[in-house]
Amino acid sequence: AQSVTQLGSHVSVSEGALVLLRCNYSSSVPPYLFWYVQYPNQGLQLLLKYTTGATLVKGINGFEAEFKKSETSFHLTKPSAHMSDAAEYFCAVFGWQFYFGTGTSLTVIP
Amino acid sequence: EAQVTQNPRYLITVTGKKLTVTCSQNMNHEYMSWYRQDPGLGLRQIYYSMNVEVTDKGDVPEGYKVSRKEKRNFPLILESPSPNQTSLYFCASSLPQRGSNTGELFFGEGSRLTVL
């Protein structure tokens, strides 16, 4: 079975500060892992994904995530937050089906 | 432009009045699915379809029906809506994971449904 846990339903950072959104997964098969972003009144857009190979993956808008098998984690980071990063972020795991976390709402403080 | 299109985007209805939310994709994707998004619960899968005439229940199928008569369309039907079906609904599609396809989902813009 697969599942995803996102720690922290709300995260606030100052503009220019590091963004760290946490995601832990469980999967009985080698997982494919995804981060999606949802801007207000929009659908979800793919930020980045891990399938196989390099464990540090880079996505759009300066985001990146590192797959750590030993920690069953796939945390999302961005070195410097921008106001436009304010959104809801969802971690997802695909084993046989997609399973989404409950989401983390990111607020960026000017 | 590759996209998943849902209609209507917003709908207010009353208990018991049948409604259909349409979903269409133009990417020739085999896989389509419906999710509902509720505060604090994230996205929960309602139904999914691996291909034409193949559908299966997700985690929260009660009160919903779907059909997949054509590859591009996957309507969500609420035969007798109830207030607990008030939610934000998303349709998504993808290619199956094989070869170079990693199976990421492409989402529609959502349909906000209110049942009074």
Side-chain angles (χ1 to χ4, degrees):
Chain A
Q2 290 80 39
S3 68
V4 172
T5 301
Q6 290 185 241
L7 297 175
S9 58
H10 297 277
V11 170
S12 294
V13 300
S14 298
E15 192 174 17
L18 171 72
V19 176
L20 171 61
L21 305 182
R22 300 178 186 273
C23 172
N24 288 90
Y25 71 91
S26 68
S27 178
S28 54
V29 298
Y32 284 9
L33 295 160
F34 303 81
W35 275 100
Y36 282 85
V37 60
Q38 183 183 26
Y39 298 105
N41 298 315
Q42 295 186 24
L44 281 73
Q45 303 172 31
L46 182 67
L47 259 184
L48 49 79
K49 62 187 177 187
Y50 168 79
T51 53
T52 58
T55 56
L56 181 64
V57 293
K58 296 185 185 299
I60 61 173
N61 301 335
F63 284 91
E64 60 184 35
E66 186 171 11
F67 170 62
K68 292 187 177 180
K69 185 177 180 180
S70 61
E71 298 177 7
T72 61
S73 69
F74 191 57
H75 302 331
L76 181 70
T77 61
K78 181 174 180 178
S80 177
H82 191 272
M83 296 297 294
S84 61
D85 295 327
E88 187 93 15
Y89 292 81
F90 292 93
C91 182
V93 61
F94 184 94
W96 299 109
Q97 291 293 334
F98 268 92
Y99 291 90
F100 286 85
T102 52
T104 298
S105 178
L106 177 66
T107 299
V108 181
I109 303 165
Chain B
E1 180 189 353
Q3 58 186 2
V4 178
T5 303
Q6 298 178 224
N7 280 294
R9 294 287 314 279
Y10 302 91
L11 179 63
I12 301 174
T13 191
V14 295
T15 299
K17 186 176 182 181
K18 180 180 179 180
L19 67 92
T20 299
V21 186
T22 64
C23 174
S24 180
Q25 50 92 7
N26 62 1
M27 295 170 279
N28 203 35
H29 285 170
E30 295 175 15
Y31 179 91
M32 297 186 74
S33 62
W34 276 102
Y35 295 86
R36 59 178 290 172
Q37 182 181 9
D38 301 289
L41 298 176
L43 275 80
R44 294 178 293 167
Q45 190 176 57
I46 303 171
Y47 270 94
Y48 65 95
S49 169
M50 301 294 283
N51 214 325
V52 176
E53 301 292 1
V54 180
T55 63
D56 210 343
K57 297 177 180 178
D59 296 320
V60 289
E62 295 79 20
Y64 304 95
K65 285 175 58 177
V66 293
S67 68
R68 187 90 182 273
K69 295 185 173 62
E70 307 165 278
K71 198 171 188 178
R72 63 183 293 128
N73 295 323
F74 190 44
L76 179 70
I77 303 157
L78 286 73
E79 292 272 3
S80 182
S82 62
N84 64 12
Q85 292 179 297
T86 292
S87 187
L88 179 59
Y89 292 87
F90 286 101
C91 180
S93 70
S94 74
L95 290 168
Q97 287 189 350
R98 68 170 81 102
S100 60
N101 295 321
T102 51
E104 64 256 37
L105 289 169
F106 293 80
F107 284 85
E109 292 196 323
S111 296
R112 186 167 293 281
L113 171 65
T114 300
V115 183
L116 302 176

mmCIF file of all heavy atoms in Angstrom, chain B residues 11-58:
data_model
loop_
_atom_site.group_PDB
_atom_site.id
_atom_site.type_symbol
_atom_site.label_atom_id
_atom_site.label_comp_id
_atom_site.label_asym_id
_atom_site.label_seq_id
_atom_site.Cartn_x
_atom_site.Cartn_y
_atom_site.Cartn_z
ATOM 1 N N LEU B 11 -21.035 25.415 -9.812
ATOM 2 C CA LEU B 11 -22.427 24.985 -9.864
ATOM 3 C C LEU B 11 -23.004 24.961 -8.470
ATOM 4 O O LEU B 11 -22.398 24.432 -7.539
ATOM 5 C CB LEU B 11 -22.533 23.584 -10.482
ATOM 6 C CG LEU B 11 -23.930 22.990 -10.579
ATOM 7 C CD1 LEU B 11 -24.799 23.839 -11.507
ATOM 8 C CD2 LEU B 11 -23.874 21.548 -11.077
ATOM 9 N N ILE B 12 -24.188 25.553 -8.338
ATOM 10 C CA ILE B 12 -24.970 25.459 -7.115
ATOM 11 C C ILE B 12 -26.236 24.700 -7.460
ATOM 12 O O ILE B 12 -26.937 25.076 -8.406
ATOM 13 C CB ILE B 12 -25.311 26.852 -6.546
ATOM 14 C CG1 ILE B 12 -24.030 27.627 -6.238
ATOM 15 C CG2 ILE B 12 -26.180 26.723 -5.297
ATOM 16 C CD1 ILE B 12 -24.269 29.065 -5.804
ATOM 17 N N THR B 13 -26.532 23.660 -6.717
ATOM 18 C CA THR B 13 -27.709 22.858 -6.983
ATOM 19 C C THR B 13 -28.396 22.519 -5.669
ATOM 20 O O THR B 13 -27.951 22.921 -4.587
ATOM 21 C CB THR B 13 -27.338 21.585 -7.755
ATOM 22 O OG1 THR B 13 -28.526 20.938 -8.216
ATOM 23 C CG2 THR B 13 -26.547 20.615 -6.892
ATOM 24 N N VAL B 14 -29.481 21.787 -5.768
ATOM 25 C CA VAL B 14 -30.235 21.399 -4.573
ATOM 26 C C VAL B 14 -30.191 19.893 -4.401
ATOM 27 O O VAL B 14 -29.969 19.136 -5.354
ATOM 28 C CB VAL B 14 -31.692 21.886 -4.640
ATOM 29 C CG1 VAL B 14 -31.733 23.412 -4.634
ATOM 30 C CG2 VAL B 14 -32.396 21.332 -5.864
ATOM 31 N N THR B 15 -30.413 19.466 -3.193
ATOM 32 C CA THR B 15 -30.386 18.041 -2.873
ATOM 33 C C THR B 15 -31.315 17.261 -3.788
ATOM 34 O O THR B 15 -32.467 17.649 -3.985
ATOM 35 C CB THR B 15 -30.800 17.832 -1.411
ATOM 36 O OG1 THR B 15 -29.865 18.510 -0.572
ATOM 37 C CG2 THR B 15 -30.818 16.362 -1.050
ATOM 38 N N GLY B 16 -30.782 16.180 -4.352
ATOM 39 C CA GLY B 16 -31.597 15.279 -5.148
ATOM 40 C C GLY B 16 -31.686 15.595 -6.626
ATOM 41 O O GLY B 16 -32.207 14.776 -7.388
ATOM 42 N N LYS B 17 -31.181 16.712 -7.058
ATOM 43 C CA LYS B 17 -31.270 17.067 -8.474
ATOM 44 C C LYS B 17 -30.054 16.547 -9.210
ATOM 45 O O LYS B 17 -28.942 17.077 -9.057
ATOM 46 C CB LYS B 17 -31.400 18.580 -8.631
ATOM 47 C CG LYS B 17 -31.632 19.010 -10.061
ATOM 48 C CD LYS B 17 -31.852 20.511 -10.156
ATOM 49 C CE LYS B 17 -32.131 20.930 -11.589
ATOM 50 N NZ LYS B 17 -32.316 22.393 -11.711
ATOM 51 N N LYS B 18 -30.262 15.557 -10.066
ATOM 52 C CA LYS B 18 -29.171 14.904 -10.776
ATOM 53 C C LYS B 18 -28.323 15.902 -11.543
ATOM 54 O O LYS B 18 -28.839 16.846 -12.154
ATOM 55 C CB LYS B 18 -29.735 13.867 -11.738
ATOM 56 C CG LYS B 18 -28.676 13.119 -12.552
ATOM 57 C CD LYS B 18 -29.308 12.103 -13.491
ATOM 58 C CE LYS B 18 -28.268 11.377 -14.326
ATOM 59 N NZ LYS B 18 -28.868 10.389 -15.253
ATOM 60 N N LEU B 19 -27.020 15.701 -11.498
ATOM 61 C CA LEU B 19 -26.152 16.555 -12.286
ATOM 62 C C LEU B 19 -24.967 15.759 -12.822
ATOM 63 O O LEU B 19 -24.609 14.696 -12.291
ATOM 64 C CB LEU B 19 -25.666 17.745 -11.446
ATOM 65 C CG LEU B 19 -24.726 17.466 -10.287
ATOM 66 C CD1 LEU B 19 -23.271 17.563 -10.733
ATOM 67 C CD2 LEU B 19 -24.968 18.457 -9.161
ATOM 68 N N THR B 20 -24.391 16.301 -13.872
ATOM 69 C CA THR B 20 -23.226 15.684 -14.511
ATOM 70 C C THR B 20 -22.140 16.729 -14.669
ATOM 71 O O THR B 20 -22.406 17.840 -15.132
ATOM 72 C CB THR B 20 -23.580 15.109 -15.891
ATOM 73 O OG1 THR B 20 -24.578 14.097 -15.736
ATOM 74 C CG2 THR B 20 -22.348 14.510 -16.565
ATOM 75 N N VAL B 21 -20.943 16.384 -14.278
ATOM 76 C CA VAL B 21 -19.775 17.214 -14.522
ATOM 77 C C VAL B 21 -18.982 16.553 -15.642
ATOM 78 O O VAL B 21 -18.581 15.393 -15.522
ATOM 79 C CB VAL B 21 -18.891 17.358 -13.262
ATOM 80 C CG1 VAL B 21 -17.768 18.352 -13.526
ATOM 81 C CG2 VAL B 21 -19.723 17.786 -12.065
ATOM 82 N N THR B 22 -18.782 17.287 -16.710
ATOM 83 C CA THR B 22 -18.084 16.689 -17.853
ATOM 84 C C THR B 22 -16.584 16.898 -17.740
ATOM 85 O O THR B 22 -16.109 17.852 -17.112
ATOM 86 C CB THR B 22 -18.577 17.285 -19.173
ATOM 87 O OG1 THR B 22 -18.259 18.674 -19.213
ATOM 88 C CG2 THR B 22 -20.076 17.085 -19.323
ATOM 89 N N CYS B 23 -15.841 15.989 -18.342
ATOM 90 C CA CYS B 23 -14.385 16.068 -18.391
ATOM 91 C C CYS B 23 -13.940 15.561 -19.745
ATOM 92 O O CYS B 23 -14.329 14.458 -20.167
ATOM 93 C CB CYS B 23 -13.751 15.239 -17.288
ATOM 94 S SG CYS B 23 -11.944 15.162 -17.401
ATOM 95 N N SER B 24 -13.091 16.332 -20.406
ATOM 96 C CA SER B 24 -12.592 15.947 -21.712
ATOM 97 C C SER B 24 -11.110 16.272 -21.794
ATOM 98 O O SER B 24 -10.677 17.319 -21.337
ATOM 99 C CB SER B 24 -13.355 16.706 -22.799
ATOM 100 O OG SER B 24 -12.891 16.352 -24.072
ATOM 101 N N GLN B 25 -10.338 15.340 -22.374
ATOM 102 C CA GLN B 25 -8.903 15.591 -22.562
ATOM 103 C C GLN B 25 -8.547 15.372 -24.033
ATOM 104 O O GLN B 25 -9.129 14.508 -24.703
ATOM 105 C CB GLN B 25 -8.047 14.708 -21.636
ATOM 106 C CG GLN B 25 -8.373 13.227 -21.657
ATOM 107 C CD GLN B 25 -7.598 12.404 -22.637
ATOM 108 O OE1 GLN B 25 -6.663 12.888 -23.287
ATOM 109 N NE2 GLN B 25 -7.970 11.130 -22.749
ATOM 110 N N ASN B 26 -7.580 16.173 -24.506
ATOM 111 C CA ASN B 26 -7.209 16.120 -25.926
ATOM 112 C C ASN B 26 -5.803 15.565 -26.138
ATOM 113 O O ASN B 26 -5.146 15.857 -27.130
ATOM 114 C CB ASN B 26 -7.345 17.499 -26.565
ATOM 115 C CG ASN B 26 -6.412 18.519 -25.923
ATOM 116 O OD1 ASN B 26 -5.651 18.196 -25.001
ATOM 117 N ND2 ASN B 26 -6.461 19.753 -26.403
ATOM 118 N N MET B 27 -5.326 14.767 -25.181
ATOM 119 C CA MET B 27 -3.956 14.259 -25.226
ATOM 120 C C MET B 27 -3.897 12.760 -25.534
ATOM 121 O O MET B 27 -2.838 12.149 -25.426
ATOM 122 C CB MET B 27 -3.271 14.554 -23.882
ATOM 123 C CG MET B 27 -3.114 16.044 -23.619
ATOM 124 S SD MET B 27 -2.590 16.418 -21.930
ATOM 125 C CE MET B 27 -4.153 16.304 -21.066
ATOM 126 N N ASN B 28 -5.034 12.180 -25.853
ATOM 127 C CA ASN B 28 -5.101 10.752 -26.154
ATOM 128 C C ASN B 28 -4.641 9.891 -24.970
ATOM 129 O O ASN B 28 -4.052 8.819 -25.152
ATOM 130 C CB ASN B 28 -4.282 10.405 -27.403
ATOM 131 C CG ASN B 28 -4.756 9.104 -28.054
ATOM 132 O OD1 ASN B 28 -5.942 8.796 -28.050
ATOM 133 N ND2 ASN B 28 -3.824 8.340 -28.605
ATOM 134 N N HIS B 29 -4.899 10.370 -23.768
ATOM 135 C CA HIS B 29 -4.503 9.626 -22.570
ATOM 136 C C HIS B 29 -5.441 8.459 -22.327
ATOM 137 O O HIS B 29 -6.656 8.566 -22.477
ATOM 138 C CB HIS B 29 -4.513 10.543 -21.350
ATOM 139 C CG HIS B 29 -3.367 11.487 -21.305
ATOM 140 N ND1 HIS B 29 -3.297 12.529 -20.412
ATOM 141 C CD2 HIS B 29 -2.226 11.544 -22.031
ATOM 142 C CE1 HIS B 29 -2.155 13.185 -20.589
ATOM 143 N NE2 HIS B 29 -1.498 12.603 -21.562
ATOM 144 N N GLU B 30 -4.843 7.348 -21.914
ATOM 145 C CA GLU B 30 -5.663 6.173 -21.592
ATOM 146 C C GLU B 30 -6.296 6.288 -20.212
ATOM 147 O O GLU B 30 -7.417 5.878 -19.990
ATOM 148 C CB GLU B 30 -4.788 4.910 -21.661
ATOM 149 C CG GLU B 30 -4.275 4.603 -23.059
ATOM 150 C CD GLU B 30 -3.318 3.429 -23.081
ATOM 151 O OE1 GLU B 30 -3.267 2.680 -22.087
ATOM 152 O OE2 GLU B 30 -2.621 3.260 -24.099
ATOM 153 N N TYR B 31 -5.547 6.840 -19.279
ATOM 154 C CA TYR B 31 -5.971 6.860 -17.881
ATOM 155 C C TYR B 31 -6.659 8.180 -17.568
ATOM 156 O O TYR B 31 -6.153 9.261 -17.893
ATOM 157 C CB TYR B 31 -4.751 6.681 -16.977
ATOM 158 C CG TYR B 31 -5.043 6.706 -15.498
ATOM 159 C CD1 TYR B 31 -5.334 5.542 -14.808
ATOM 160 C CD2 TYR B 31 -5.016 7.901 -14.789
ATOM 161 C CE1 TYR B 31 -5.590 5.553 -13.449
ATOM 162 C CE2 TYR B 31 -5.266 7.936 -13.435
ATOM 163 C CZ TYR B 31 -5.551 6.753 -12.757
ATOM 164 O OH TYR B 31 -5.809 6.765 -11.417
ATOM 165 N N MET B 32 -7.821 8.094 -16.906
ATOM 166 C CA MET B 32 -8.515 9.291 -16.427
ATOM 167 C C MET B 32 -9.058 9.011 -15.040
ATOM 168 O O MET B 32 -9.354 7.855 -14.694
ATOM 169 C CB MET B 32 -9.648 9.690 -17.385
ATOM 170 C CG MET B 32 -9.160 10.079 -18.770
ATOM 171 S SD MET B 32 -10.445 10.711 -19.861
ATOM 172 C CE MET B 32 -10.718 12.357 -19.169
ATOM 173 N N SER B 33 -9.186 10.068 -14.248
ATOM 174 C CA SER B 33 -9.661 9.874 -12.885
ATOM 175 C C SER B 33 -10.355 11.124 -12.382
ATOM 176 O O SER B 33 -10.165 12.217 -12.924
ATOM 177 C CB SER B 33 -8.498 9.491 -11.953
ATOM 178 O OG SER B 33 -7.545 10.528 -11.898
ATOM 179 N N TRP B 34 -11.133 10.953 -11.326
ATOM 180 C CA TRP B 34 -11.806 12.049 -10.648
ATOM 181 C C TRP B 34 -11.376 12.083 -9.185
ATOM 182 O O TRP B 34 -11.273 11.030 -8.529
ATOM 183 C CB TRP B 34 -13.325 11.862 -10.699
ATOM 184 C CG TRP B 34 -13.950 12.364 -11.957
ATOM 185 C CD1 TRP B 34 -14.370 11.626 -13.015
ATOM 186 C CD2 TRP B 34 -14.234 13.729 -12.280
ATOM 187 N NE1 TRP B 34 -14.888 12.442 -13.986
ATOM 188 C CE2 TRP B 34 -14.818 13.735 -13.560
ATOM 189 C CE3 TRP B 34 -14.055 14.948 -11.614
ATOM 190 C CZ2 TRP B 34 -15.221 14.909 -14.196
ATOM 191 C CZ3 TRP B 34 -14.456 16.109 -12.241
ATOM 192 C CH2 TRP B 34 -15.037 16.082 -13.513
ATOM 193 N N TYR B 35 -11.133 13.317 -8.717
ATOM 194 C CA TYR B 35 -10.773 13.544 -7.324
ATOM 195 C C TYR B 35 -11.709 14.589 -6.734
ATOM 196 O O TYR B 35 -12.217 15.454 -7.445
ATOM 197 C CB TYR B 35 -9.338 14.066 -7.200
ATOM 198 C CG TYR B 35 -8.283 13.089 -7.632
ATOM 199 C CD1 TYR B 35 -7.898 12.993 -8.961
ATOM 200 C CD2 TYR B 35 -7.657 12.269 -6.708
ATOM 201 C CE1 TYR B 35 -6.925 12.098 -9.363
ATOM 202 C CE2 TYR B 35 -6.676 11.368 -7.093
ATOM 203 C CZ TYR B 35 -6.319 11.290 -8.421
ATOM 204 O OH TYR B 35 -5.356 10.405 -8.816
ATOM 205 N N ARG B 36 -11.885 14.519 -5.437
ATOM 206 C CA ARG B 36 -12.501 15.629 -4.744
ATOM 207 C C ARG B 36 -11.500 16.180 -3.738
ATOM 208 O O ARG B 36 -10.705 15.425 -3.148
ATOM 209 C CB ARG B 36 -13.807 15.227 -4.055
ATOM 210 C CG ARG B 36 -13.731 14.138 -3.028
ATOM 211 C CD ARG B 36 -15.107 13.880 -2.387
ATOM 212 N NE ARG B 36 -15.534 14.978 -1.515
ATOM 213 C CZ ARG B 36 -16.734 15.083 -0.953
ATOM 214 N NH1 ARG B 36 -17.660 14.145 -1.168
ATOM 215 N NH2 ARG B 36 -17.042 16.110 -0.185
ATOM 216 N N GLN B 37 -11.524 17.498 -3.590
ATOM 217 C CA GLN B 37 -10.601 18.161 -2.688
ATOM 218 C C GLN B 37 -11.392 18.849 -1.593
ATOM 219 O O GLN B 37 -12.248 19.696 -1.873
ATOM 220 C CB GLN B 37 -9.747 19.189 -3.437
ATOM 221 C CG GLN B 37 -8.733 19.879 -2.558
ATOM 222 C CD GLN B 37 -7.902 20.911 -3.300
ATOM 223 O OE1 GLN B 37 -8.184 21.243 -4.455
ATOM 224 N NE2 GLN B 37 -6.881 21.408 -2.658
ATOM 225 N N ASP B 38 -11.107 18.481 -0.360
ATOM 226 C CA ASP B 38 -11.780 19.070 0.792
ATOM 227 C C ASP B 38 -10.731 19.563 1.774
ATOM 228 O O ASP B 38 -9.668 18.941 1.918
ATOM 229 C CB ASP B 38 -12.686 18.035 1.462
ATOM 230 C CG ASP B 38 -13.740 17.490 0.517
ATOM 231 O OD1 ASP B 38 -14.664 18.261 0.199
ATOM 232 O OD2 ASP B 38 -13.625 16.324 0.079
ATOM 233 N N PRO B 39 -11.013 20.664 2.468
ATOM 234 C CA PRO B 39 -10.024 21.239 3.395
ATOM 235 C C PRO B 39 -9.544 20.212 4.414
ATOM 236 O O PRO B 39 -10.345 19.525 5.051
ATOM 237 C CB PRO B 39 -10.808 22.374 4.057
ATOM 238 C CG PRO B 39 -11.852 22.747 3.064
ATOM 239 C CD PRO B 39 -12.238 21.468 2.388
ATOM 240 N N GLY B 40 -8.234 20.120 4.558
ATOM 241 C CA GLY B 40 -7.646 19.213 5.526
ATOM 242 C C GLY B 40 -7.584 17.758 5.101
ATOM 243 O O GLY B 40 -6.987 16.933 5.800
ATOM 244 N N LEU B 41 -8.194 17.438 3.976
ATOM 245 C CA LEU B 41 -8.222 16.045 3.515
ATOM 246 C C LEU B 41 -7.451 15.829 2.223
ATOM 247 O O LEU B 41 -7.310 14.691 1.771
ATOM 248 C CB LEU B 41 -9.670 15.585 3.328
ATOM 249 C CG LEU B 41 -10.545 15.593 4.581
ATOM 250 C CD1 LEU B 41 -11.981 15.195 4.234
ATOM 251 C CD2 LEU B 41 -9.975 14.649 5.644
ATOM 252 N N GLY B 42 -6.973 16.878 1.626
ATOM 253 C CA GLY B 42 -6.226 16.735 0.380
ATOM 254 C C GLY B 42 -7.118 16.271 -0.748
ATOM 255 O O GLY B 42 -8.312 16.556 -0.789
ATOM 256 N N LEU B 43 -6.522 15.530 -1.672
ATOM 257 C CA LEU B 43 -7.274 14.999 -2.816
ATOM 258 C C LEU B 43 -7.576 13.530 -2.565
ATOM 259 O O LEU B 43 -6.678 12.753 -2.244
ATOM 260 C CB LEU B 43 -6.455 15.123 -4.098
ATOM 261 C CG LEU B 43 -6.530 16.452 -4.822
ATOM 262 C CD1 LEU B 43 -5.610 17.455 -4.161
ATOM 263 C CD2 LEU B 43 -6.150 16.289 -6.289
ATOM 264 N N ARG B 44 -8.817 13.190 -2.749
ATOM 265 C CA ARG B 44 -9.233 11.800 -2.602
ATOM 266 C C ARG B 44 -9.843 11.332 -3.919
ATOM 267 O O ARG B 44 -10.678 12.003 -4.504
ATOM 268 C CB ARG B 44 -10.232 11.655 -1.449
ATOM 269 C CG ARG B 44 -9.637 11.960 -0.089
ATOM 270 C CD ARG B 44 -10.676 11.838 1.008
ATOM 271 N NE ARG B 44 -11.693 12.864 0.893
ATOM 272 C CZ ARG B 44 -12.852 12.868 1.548
ATOM 273 N NH1 ARG B 44 -13.129 11.871 2.380
ATOM 274 N NH2 ARG B 44 -13.714 13.847 1.402
ATOM 275 N N GLN B 45 -9.432 10.142 -4.312
ATOM 276 C CA GLN B 45 -9.862 9.634 -5.607
ATOM 277 C C GLN B 45 -11.279 9.062 -5.522
ATOM 278 O O GLN B 45 -11.594 8.280 -4.608
ATOM 279 C CB GLN B 45 -8.902 8.563 -6.108
ATOM 280 C CG GLN B 45 -9.139 8.147 -7.545
ATOM 281 C CD GLN B 45 -8.105 7.157 -8.024
ATOM 282 O OE1 GLN B 45 -7.928 6.097 -7.434
ATOM 283 N NE2 GLN B 45 -7.423 7.501 -9.091
ATOM 284 N N ILE B 46 -12.117 9.432 -6.492
ATOM 285 C CA ILE B 46 -13.501 8.964 -6.507
ATOM 286 C C ILE B 46 -13.623 7.729 -7.389
ATOM 287 O O ILE B 46 -14.057 6.667 -6.954
ATOM 288 C CB ILE B 46 -14.431 10.083 -7.017
ATOM 289 C CG1 ILE B 46 -14.278 11.338 -6.157
ATOM 290 C CG2 ILE B 46 -15.874 9.614 -7.023
ATOM 291 C CD1 ILE B 46 -14.995 12.559 -6.726
ATOM 292 N N TYR B 47 -13.281 7.882 -8.651
ATOM 293 C CA TYR B 47 -13.279 6.809 -9.626
ATOM 294 C C TYR B 47 -12.112 7.016 -10.570
ATOM 295 O O TYR B 47 -11.612 8.121 -10.718
ATOM 296 C CB TYR B 47 -14.576 6.801 -10.457
ATOM 297 C CG TYR B 47 -15.703 5.980 -9.910
ATOM 298 C CD1 TYR B 47 -16.676 6.563 -9.108
ATOM 299 C CD2 TYR B 47 -15.814 4.627 -10.215
ATOM 300 C CE1 TYR B 47 -17.727 5.808 -8.604
ATOM 301 C CE2 TYR B 47 -16.868 3.863 -9.723
ATOM 302 C CZ TYR B 47 -17.817 4.460 -8.913
ATOM 303 O OH TYR B 47 -18.857 3.710 -8.418
ATOM 304 N N TYR B 48 -11.701 5.937 -11.215
ATOM 305 C CA TYR B 48 -10.696 6.050 -12.246
ATOM 306 C C TYR B 48 -11.026 5.107 -13.392
ATOM 307 O O TYR B 48 -11.839 4.187 -13.239
ATOM 308 C CB TYR B 48 -9.291 5.791 -11.699
ATOM 309 C CG TYR B 48 -9.041 4.387 -11.187
ATOM 310 C CD1 TYR B 48 -8.471 3.418 -11.998
ATOM 311 C CD2 TYR B 48 -9.354 4.062 -9.863
ATOM 312 C CE1 TYR B 48 -8.235 2.144 -11.515
ATOM 313 C CE2 TYR B 48 -9.103 2.787 -9.376
ATOM 314 C CZ TYR B 48 -8.554 1.828 -10.206
ATOM 315 O OH TYR B 48 -8.307 0.568 -9.730
ATOM 316 N N SER B 49 -10.365 5.348 -14.518
ATOM 317 C CA SER B 49 -10.593 4.535 -15.704
ATOM 318 C C SER B 49 -9.256 4.281 -16.388
ATOM 319 O O SER B 49 -8.523 5.218 -16.702
ATOM 320 C CB SER B 49 -11.544 5.252 -16.667
ATOM 321 O OG SER B 49 -11.584 4.599 -17.913
ATOM 322 N N MET B 50 -8.944 3.017 -16.598
ATOM 323 C CA MET B 50 -7.688 2.670 -17.250
ATOM 324 C C MET B 50 -7.796 2.772 -18.773
ATOM 325 O O MET B 50 -6.789 2.888 -19.456
ATOM 326 C CB MET B 50 -7.274 1.252 -16.856
ATOM 327 C CG MET B 50 -7.094 1.045 -15.358
ATOM 328 S SD MET B 50 -5.721 1.993 -14.680
ATOM 329 C CE MET B 50 -4.353 0.990 -15.215
ATOM 330 N N ASN B 51 -9.016 2.677 -19.283
ATOM 331 C CA ASN B 51 -9.215 2.789 -20.728
ATOM 332 C C ASN B 51 -10.716 2.780 -21.014
ATOM 333 O O ASN B 51 -11.543 2.691 -20.082
ATOM 334 C CB ASN B 51 -8.514 1.652 -21.471
ATOM 335 C CG ASN B 51 -7.972 2.081 -22.824
ATOM 336 O OD1 ASN B 51 -8.584 2.916 -23.504
ATOM 337 N ND2 ASN B 51 -6.851 1.531 -23.223
ATOM 338 N N VAL B 52 -11.080 2.863 -22.265
ATOM 339 C CA VAL B 52 -12.490 2.868 -22.651
ATOM 340 C C VAL B 52 -13.201 1.642 -22.087
ATOM 341 O O VAL B 52 -12.672 0.531 -22.163
ATOM 342 C CB VAL B 52 -12.621 2.914 -24.181
ATOM 343 C CG1 VAL B 52 -14.083 2.832 -24.599
ATOM 344 C CG2 VAL B 52 -11.983 4.175 -24.730
ATOM 345 N N GLU B 53 -14.361 1.876 -21.497
ATOM 346 C CA GLU B 53 -15.213 0.831 -20.919
ATOM 347 C C GLU B 53 -14.583 0.126 -19.723
ATOM 348 O O GLU B 53 -15.100 -0.903 -19.277
ATOM 349 C CB GLU B 53 -15.602 -0.213 -21.984
ATOM 350 C CG GLU B 53 -16.360 0.345 -23.187
ATOM 351 C CD GLU B 53 -17.762 0.843 -22.866
ATOM 352 O OE1 GLU B 53 -18.173 0.782 -21.687
ATOM 353 O OE2 GLU B 53 -18.439 1.321 -23.780
ATOM 354 N N VAL B 54 -13.522 0.694 -19.159
ATOM 355 C CA VAL B 54 -12.889 0.112 -17.967
ATOM 356 C C VAL B 54 -12.857 1.158 -16.872
ATOM 357 O O VAL B 54 -12.117 2.146 -16.968
ATOM 358 C CB VAL B 54 -11.447 -0.371 -18.263
ATOM 359 C CG1 VAL B 54 -10.833 -0.970 -16.988
ATOM 360 C CG2 VAL B 54 -11.424 -1.368 -19.401
ATOM 361 N N THR B 55 -13.686 0.984 -15.848
ATOM 362 C CA THR B 55 -13.709 1.929 -14.741
ATOM 363 C C THR B 55 -13.633 1.168 -13.422
ATOM 364 O O THR B 55 -13.994 -0.014 -13.354
ATOM 365 C CB THR B 55 -14.991 2.782 -14.747
ATOM 366 O OG1 THR B 55 -16.130 1.931 -14.568
ATOM 367 C CG2 THR B 55 -15.131 3.550 -16.057
ATOM 368 N N ASP B 56 -13.178 1.866 -12.391
ATOM 369 C CA ASP B 56 -13.080 1.213 -11.083
ATOM 370 C C ASP B 56 -13.203 2.253 -9.990
ATOM 371 O O ASP B 56 -12.949 3.444 -10.207
ATOM 372 C CB ASP B 56 -11.770 0.451 -10.940
ATOM 373 C CG ASP B 56 -11.913 -0.755 -10.023
ATOM 374 O OD1 ASP B 56 -12.917 -0.819 -9.259
ATOM 375 O OD2 ASP B 56 -11.034 -1.631 -10.058
ATOM 376 N N LYS B 57 -13.606 1.779 -8.805
ATOM 377 C CA LYS B 57 -13.805 2.673 -7.677
ATOM 378 C C LYS B 57 -12.479 3.121 -7.088
ATOM 379 O O LYS B 57 -11.522 2.349 -7.017
ATOM 380 C CB LYS B 57 -14.620 1.961 -6.594
ATOM 381 C CG LYS B 57 -16.019 1.583 -7.027
ATOM 382 C CD LYS B 57 -16.743 0.822 -5.924
ATOM 383 C CE LYS B 57 -18.148 0.438 -6.367
ATOM 384 N NZ LYS B 57 -18.856 -0.338 -5.321
ATOM 385 N N GLY B 58 -12.468 4.379 -6.647
ATOM 386 C CA GLY B 58 -11.342 4.889 -5.876
ATOM 387 C C GLY B 58 -11.631 4.763 -4.403
ATOM 388 O O GLY B 58 -12.284 3.818 -3.961
#
